[in-house]
Amino acid sequence: MRSWRADRPYHVALEDRYIREHWNEIYALCKLNSLPFNATGEIIESDGVWRVYEFTWQMDAILFWDRFQDRWLRGTEFHYPERPENLPVLKPLENWPKFNPRNLR
C-alpha cells in the first residue's frame, strides 16, 4: 500500500472499468461541482480492479462516493456505510449523452 497523505485522509475507490467507461462524465461532473478528486496511484484487486482517490474534506469524499456508488475505504478495507440523510445533490450535467458501450469499440 502506498503511504497516504495526512492532509488528504478520506479515500474512495472507483472500479477501473467504470472509470474507463465514464471518464469524461466523472471529470466534467467533478469540475462543474468544484469537487476535487486526486488519484493516489494505488490499485486494489479485490472482486475487480479498483483505483483509489483521496480527499481533504470528508464532504467532498462523501459526495463523490454517493454519486458514483463506489467504495469507501477505511485503511485498506472496503467499508459500506449508510447514505447520510439530507445529503446535498451535485449539480447535474446538462445535455450529457447517455453511455453507449458500442462507442468503446
Side-chain angles (χ1 to χ4, degrees):
M1 177 181 88
R2 186 175 164 198
S3 60
W4 289 349
R5 295 175 48 165
D7 64 336
R8 294 186 181 156
Y10 304 102
H11 299 90
V12 176
L14 270 177
E15 188 178 22
D16 183 68
R17 183 176 173 177
Y18 182 85
I19 296 168
R20 292 173 191 274
E21 292 172 353
H22 299 276
W23 173 254
N24 291 335
E25 180 182 3
I26 294 167
Y27 179 80
L29 191 64
C30 287
K31 187 172 181 172
L32 173 67
N33 287 278
S34 299
L35 187 65
F37 72 112
N38 303 300
T40 65
E42 182 179 3
I43 297 172
I44 297 173
E45 292 187 29
S46 174
D47 205 20
V49 177
W50 301 82
R51 299 200 179 264
V52 179
Y53 292 85
E54 60 187 2
F55 298 86
T56 300
W57 303 107
Q58 185 178 33
M59 183 56 80
D60 289 343
I62 290 171
L63 290 171
F64 186 83
W65 160 80
D66 182 62
R67 171 58 179 83
F68 299 111
Q69 300 175 357
D70 24 356
R71 302 292 185 260
W72 191 261
L73 291 172
R74 276 200 187 151
T76 59
E77 300 293 321
F78 290 143
H79 180 66
Y80 304 93
E82 293 291 323
R83 183 182 189 276
E85 289 184 32
N86 302 318
L87 188 64
V89 177
L90 295 176
K91 291 182 262 183
L93 295 171
E94 295 184 18
N95 302 320
W96 195 259
K98 295 273 185 190
F99 172 69
N100 183 346
R102 292 182 181 170
N103 293 339
L104 293 177
R105 294 181 187 165

